[in-house]
Amino acid sequence: MITLSMLSPPPNPLIALSPTLLICPPSGTQRFLLSTGHRTSKVTHIVPSPPDLAGVNGLILTKSGTSPEGSITLLDETGYTKKYLGVSRPYSFRPQFTTNVEGASEPVTIPLHQPASCELTIIPLSDPAPLDPSTPPPPKKQRVSSAGNPEPRSKLIRIEGSTPGTFDRKAALSLGVPVGPLFGKLVKGETIVTPSGEEVKPSQCMGEPGVWRVAVVYVESENDFERLPKSQTWDFVYFQSTPAVLESQSFKGWWSSLKLSNPKCHLIKCDSSKPRDGYVSSSSAKLAYKLSLISPNHFRVPYCVDNCFKEIDYRLTPVNKKGLVKSDENSNMYGLSSEDRAEVEEDLAKRGLEKFLQTKEEEDKNEDVSVSIFGEEIVFLGTGSSIPSKHRNVTSTWIKYGSNSLLLDCGENSVTQLKCLFSNDEDYRDALFSIKFVWVSHPHADHLLGLNEFVMERRRLGGSSEKVFIIAPETVLPSVKFFVGQEVGVVMLDCREFLDGIPDVRLASEFKSLGITKFHSLHVEHCRGSFGVVLECSHWGTVAFSGDCRPCRKFLNFKADILIHEATFEDDLQEEAIVKKHSTITEAVTIGRGMQCSHIILSHFSQRYPGMPRGVPKDDNVIVAWDWMRLTSSTMKSATRLGGVMEAMFEEEDKEGNEVCEGEDEIGGRKVKDIMKEPGGFAVKGVLEGGCGEK
C-alpha cells in the first residue's frame, strides 16, 4: 500500500510505502505516525528531502529510543544529509544506534513485509547550482559547511517491487501439506518438507507474483524533462511541480507518453508556490474544540483550510485488487466535520460539564478579550516533552508585544502550530515575520528542530533579509549556521553573552522594540549548555522561563510576575526526575512561590500524561499550559480555574491508564533510569558527569 499525506508547510507530502519506507518526511511526521497508529520502530529506510530534515532527525531520535542498538538507512545522493547529521550530532547523537547514509544511483533493496521487497533508485533530473565563489569563507574558528544549494531538487524516485501471488490452499493440500504452520512457511517463500518426506516449493502452490512500479517525480524546470524516461509503464505516479511546468508542453508530452491504467488515479498536482495548509490530527482538533467550548477566552479552534488533498491510499498488490482505495476528501485530518463537533459536544454533556460552563461564562463576562491575534499575548505552540504526543506537540512558547514577538524554544513542527492560528496567509506571514528573537534553552532536539522549518518558511515567503536574532547555546550554533547558509537576515548569538544582561547598546535597541528592557541568561542543571532566562518588559512585567532543568535556586534571586516552568513529571516520579534532570509539578510550583510570582505556568509535560497531570495545586495562581492556549494579562486569573474541569474532562482517559509512548520508560528492555546513568543518549555526551554549564 502506498499512502500520501500532506502534513506541514514545507513543499513535500509524506509518502509511505508499507510500514518500512518513508519518502520526503516533513516536520511533524513522527506525530502524524503516532496519531494514525503507525510505529516509527518499523521504519527501516527514508528518502530525505534536503534541506527539510527536521522530520528525519525527529524520526531517527524516536526510533533510536525504541531500538537503541538498531539502525536506519537514509538514501541521499547529494551528501547534504551526512553533513547535516554531522553538525546536529551535539543534540542527536545516540552512541549505539547506527544511521547509514547511502546513495541510491544503483537500485537499493528495501524489505516491505516478509517476503515482499522492492528496489529503489534515485535519478537526478538536474544538476545542483554551484555555490557562489565570490562569497568569502568564514574565519577558521567559525567555519562550518554552508547549506548553499544542497541538492538537485528535480529528481525521479523509481520504486519497483514484486510480491508473491495468492496462496492456493487446494494445491497445497493436494501436495500433502497439512493445515498449520507449513502453510505459513510456504507463504513466506520457504521450501518445506511434508510429513511424508516430500519437498514442496512455494512456486508449486502460489499464484503469479504481483509486479508493480511507482514513480515519485519532482520537477522545477521544463529543462528537467530531458532526463525523465519516456514511454514507461507505471502503476502509480506522484508528480510535483509549479503551475508553469504543469501547463508546459514538456510536461504534457512526457505525460502523454506514459502507459497508465487510469491517469486520474496517478497525478497529484501540488502547487509549491503557495503556502501549505497546517496539519492537525483529528485527536488534536477534537481537543482544541473541547477546550474552546470550555473557555473561548483562552482557546481558539485552529483554522484549517480544506482546499487541498488530504490522504490518498493506493493498493499495489494483489494484482486483482490494484488501484485507488480511497481519496478521503471529507477527512477530518485538517479540521473537524459536523459529526466530529457533535461527538465532542455530546462527550462534554455526558461528563456533566454544563454547570461549570454556565458558571464560567458568568465569570468571564468581565474579562477584556478584545486583544487581537497581533496584540499582547502568550501563546503556547507546544507543551510536551521529548517525543510529541497525541495531545501535545514538543515545546515552543510565543510571546507577543504589539507587532513584534519572540519564541522561547522552537521544537519540531512549531511553525505549523503557528500557522494553524490564522485564517489567511497574509496574517500568518505577518505573524512569522513579527518574530524578532528565538531563544533556544539547551541542545536537545525537542527544543530546536523547528529552527530548520522556521528558517525555510522565512526563505519561502521572501523574508530572508528581514532581521531575526537566534540566541542559542554554543553547541547549537554550528547546525543553525549550516541550514541558514548565506542569509543575511539571521544573526546568531551565544546564550552566554547574556549572563550579565544585554551585552551592548545595539542589542538593547533591538530588544526595546519588543518592550524588553532587561534580558538575563542563567545556567541551569540539565545537560551541558542549558540555560534559563529572565526578561523584563513593559507589558508583561518580569517573565522567567526555565527551559529544561532541575529546580534552580538562581531563579530565587529574581522576583517575577510570570514564571513558565517545566513540570515534566508528577510528584510520584521524583526519582526519575532527578535521574533525567527534570522537575516535578511541586518542585516547579515551589520555585514560582520563591520568586513571589503572580502566575506560575506549568508546561513541558511527559507524554505519559495524555490528559490532565495529577497533583497540580488548586492555587489561584497556577496554570496548566495546553497547545494553542492564549493568555493575556486580563485572562491569566481565570485560566487558573480551568484545572477542575480539565480533570473531569480527562477522567475517563486517565482511568484507562497513562500509557507511555515508545521509548519513554524502557529502551530495549532496560529501564530509562539505568540507561541515563551512562553518558550519551538523548543528551550531549557527558550530561551526567557533572557538566551542566555551571562555572
Side-chain angles (χ1 to χ4, degrees):
M1 186 79 74
I2 186 167
T3 300
L4 289 84
S5 301
M6 183 68 75
L7 298 188
S8 62
N12 299 316
L14 166 69
I15 301 176
L17 190 64
S18 187
T20 57
L21 171 63
L22 300 181
I23 298 175
C24 303
S27 294
T29 295
Q30 55 175 329
R31 193 177 186 200
F32 168 76
L33 295 178
L34 175 66
S35 66
T36 53
H38 295 84
R39 294 186 69 84
T40 307
S41 57
K42 294 188 178 295
V43 177
T44 61
H45 291 73
I46 296 176
V47 180
S49 180
D52 179 22
L53 294 178
V56 172
N57 210 329
L59 288 165
I60 291 172
L61 289 169
T62 302
K63 178 163 184 179
S64 62
T66 58
S67 309
E69 297 182 2
S71 65
I72 198 164
T73 300
L74 308 180
L75 303 174
D76 175 31
E77 284 293 307
T78 66
Y80 180 91
T81 299
K82 185 174 289 187
K83 293 177 182 177
Y84 175 89
L85 293 176
V87 297
S88 65
R89 181 181 172 88
Y91 52 81
S92 61
F93 173 67
R94 288 291 179 94
Q96 295 173 302
F97 188 82
T98 304
T99 302
N100 305 303
V101 183
E102 301 177 359
S105 56
E106 298 296 327
V108 175
T109 301
I110 299 172
L112 298 179
H113 52 79
Q114 194 176 19
S117 64
C118 68
E119 289 189 338
L120 184 146
T121 311
I122 299 175
I123 303 173
L125 304 178
S126 60
D127 297 319
L131 298 178
D132 185 357
S134 63
T135 304
K140 187 174 182 180
K141 288 185 179 180
Q142 302 175 11
R143 190 169 298 168
V144 294
S145 299
S146 171
N149 188 344
E151 70 158 350
R153 297 287 302 194
S154 297
K155 60 188 173 185
L156 162 66
I157 302 171
R158 182 172 61 202
I159 310 167
E160 301 178 344
S162 64
T163 53
T166 305
F167 179 69
D168 190 334
R169 178 187 174 93
K170 291 183 179 179
L173 292 172
S174 67
L175 292 169
V177 182
V179 176
L182 294 180
F183 273 26
K185 290 185 177 182
L186 286 169
V187 172
K188 293 177 181 178
E190 301 177 23
T191 299
I192 59 99
V193 177
T194 66
S196 62
E198 297 294 325
E199 183 179 88
V200 177
K201 298 180 179 180
S203 58
Q204 294 177 262
C205 48
M206 299 293 291
E208 288 294 317
V211 180
W212 47 267
R213 303 179 75 202
V214 171
V216 179
V217 189
Y218 300 96
V219 169
E220 286 194 336
S221 165
E222 285 190 61
N223 299 329
D224 298 333
F225 285 94
E226 295 179 7
R227 298 186 189 179
L228 263 175
K230 298 176 176 61
S231 303
Q232 297 283 310
T233 300
W234 303 101
D235 292 290
F236 185 87
V237 176
Y238 172 81
F239 185 91
Q240 177 174 303
S241 190
T242 62
V245 169
L246 291 168
E247 293 170 4
S248 69
Q249 291 301 316
S250 298
F251 166 73
K252 293 174 182 177
W254 173 77
W255 184 258
S256 63
S257 75
L258 302 181
K259 301 173 183 177
L260 305 171
S261 57
N262 185 352
K264 292 183 179 179
C265 293
H266 298 269
L267 178 63
I268 306 292
K269 293 184 179 181
C270 180
D271 183 355
S272 60
S273 68
K274 295 180 180 178
R276 250 62 55 187
D277 301 314
Y279 164 74
V280 181
S281 70
S282 59
S283 59
S284 294
K286 287 179 181 179
L287 176 62
Y289 183 52
K290 278 185 182 180
L291 297 178
S292 72
L293 292 176
I294 288 171
S295 186
N297 290 358
H298 300 100
F299 299 98
R300 178 179 293 170
V301 178
Y303 291 105
C304 304
V305 184
D306 291 322
N307 60 358
C308 75
F309 76 92
K310 312 299 188 301
E311 184 176 79
I312 290 177
D313 285 345
Y314 190 91
R315 190 188 304 276
L316 295 165
T317 58
V319 176
N320 61 339
K321 294 184 179 180
K322 185 183 296 184
L324 191 67
V325 177
K326 73 171 182 178
S327 178
D328 195 352
E329 295 300 332
N330 296 314
S331 168
N332 61 9
M333 187 170 293
Y334 286 86
L336 291 178
S337 64
S338 56
E339 291 80 7
D340 289 325
R341 292 174 183 265
E343 178 187 331
V344 169
E345 292 163 6
E346 182 181 353
D347 180 66
L348 289 177
K350 283 181 180 178
R351 297 177 189 274
L353 298 179
E354 297 96 330
K355 184 177 180 181
F356 172 87
L357 297 177
Q358 292 170 0
T359 303
K360 190 171 187 310
E361 185 177 352
E362 292 298 320
E363 293 175 344
D364 291 349
K365 283 181 179 178
N366 297 324
E367 289 186 343
D368 178 14
V369 292
S370 60
V371 179
S372 73
I373 194 68
F374 298 106
E376 288 72 32
E377 289 183 314
I378 298 176
V379 182
F380 294 90
L381 303 178
T383 56
S385 68
S386 185
I387 301 169
S389 64
K390 181 171 65 172
H391 293 326
R392 298 183 186 273
N393 198 60
V394 287
T395 188
S396 185
T397 304
W398 185 33
I399 299 182
K400 302 185 293 173
Y401 181 81
S403 60
N404 293 320
S405 63
L406 73 152
L407 280 183
L408 299 176
D409 281 331
C410 188
E412 181 185 346
N413 215 37
S414 294
V415 170
T416 299
Q417 294 282 99
L418 175 68
K419 182 177 178 62
C420 290
L421 292 169
F422 299 95
S423 59
N424 63 77
D425 296 331
E426 184 178 348
D427 286 349
Y428 163 59
R429 188 187 187 283
D430 289 344
L432 184 71
F433 289 110
S434 77
I435 299 171
K436 304 303 182 186
F437 289 88
V438 181
W439 165 269
V440 178
S441 61
H442 65 285
H444 278 176
D446 57 318
H447 292 253
L448 57 87
L449 283 185
L451 285 174
N452 196 167
E453 186 183 9
F454 174 73
V455 171
M456 287 177 59
E457 274 292 87
R458 283 170 45 87
R459 183 181 301 151
R460 183 177 66 81
L461 295 175
S464 297
S465 60
E466 293 194 30
K467 187 177 291 185
V468 62
F469 293 86
I470 296 178
I471 307 170
E474 179 186 20
T475 49
V476 174
L477 295 177
S479 62
V480 177
K481 174 66 176 176
F482 179 73
F483 53 73
V484 166
Q486 305 300 320
E487 290 187 25
V488 297
V490 179
V491 180
M492 288 170 284
L493 300 169
D494 192 322
C495 290
R496 294 174 299 180
E497 297 180 43
F498 295 85
L499 289 172
D500 296 319
I502 302 173
D504 59 52
V505 176
R506 176 182 59 85
L507 277 174
S509 175
E510 298 284 354
F511 275 107
K512 192 174 181 180
S513 68
L514 276 83
I516 296 174
T517 55
K518 294 183 180 179
F519 196 92
H520 285 271
S521 294
L522 304 174
H523 283 298
V524 295
E525 183 185 2
H526 187 54
C527 68
R528 273 198 177 94
S530 293
F531 295 87
V533 65
V534 178
L535 57 95
E536 284 187 20
C537 58
S538 53
H539 181 74
W540 295 106
T542 300
V543 178
F545 175 68
S546 70
D548 282 6
C549 66
R550 292 291 298 143
C552 180
R553 295 190 62 83
K554 293 177 183 177
F555 280 110
L556 302 182
N557 295 327
F558 298 86
K559 287 183 64 176
D561 297 283
I562 299 169
L563 170 65
I564 303 170
H565 202 290
E566 72 122 282
T568 307
F569 295 109
E570 292 176 352
D571 292 346
D572 59 353
L573 290 178
Q574 184 169 14
E575 180 183 347
E576 191 157 354
I578 293 171
V579 170
K580 290 187 174 182
K581 299 202 171 183
H582 284 294
S583 297
T584 65
I585 289 171
T586 295
E587 288 173 334
V589 172
T590 300
I591 291 295
R593 288 171 177 163
M595 298 178 72
Q596 302 177 42
C597 292
S598 300
H599 298 287
I600 303 168
I601 306 173
L602 305 180
S603 187
H604 195 271
F605 297 103
S606 167
Q607 58 183 328
R608 73 187 64 212
Y609 310 125
M612 178 74 176
R614 297 169 301 174
V616 177
K618 298 297 191 294
D619 297 5
D620 61 1
N621 68 337
V622 178
I623 299 170
V624 173
W626 298 83
D627 285 19
W628 292 310
M629 176 182 259
R630 302 163 52 239
L631 298 174
T632 69
S633 56
S634 61
T635 62
M636 284 276 190
K637 186 172 181 61
S638 61
T640 65
R641 300 193 295 269
L642 292 173
V645 72
M646 293 299 186
E647 288 179 354
M649 191 172 77
F650 286 103
E651 184 178 7
E652 185 176 322
E653 188 167 4
D654 291 339
K655 283 180 180 178
E656 294 173 358
N658 292 332
E659 290 190 10
V660 178
C661 299
E662 319 181 73
E664 182 72 32
D665 250 350
E666 290 192 0
I667 297 178
R670 297 177 62 199
K671 290 291 184 183
V672 164
K673 65 180 182 180
D674 295 329
I675 294 173
M676 287 297 290
K677 292 176 183 177
E678 304 171 2
F682 200 115
V684 180
K685 189 170 183 179
V687 166
L688 299 178
E689 295 176 337
C692 61
E694 299 271 5
K695 294 187 178 180

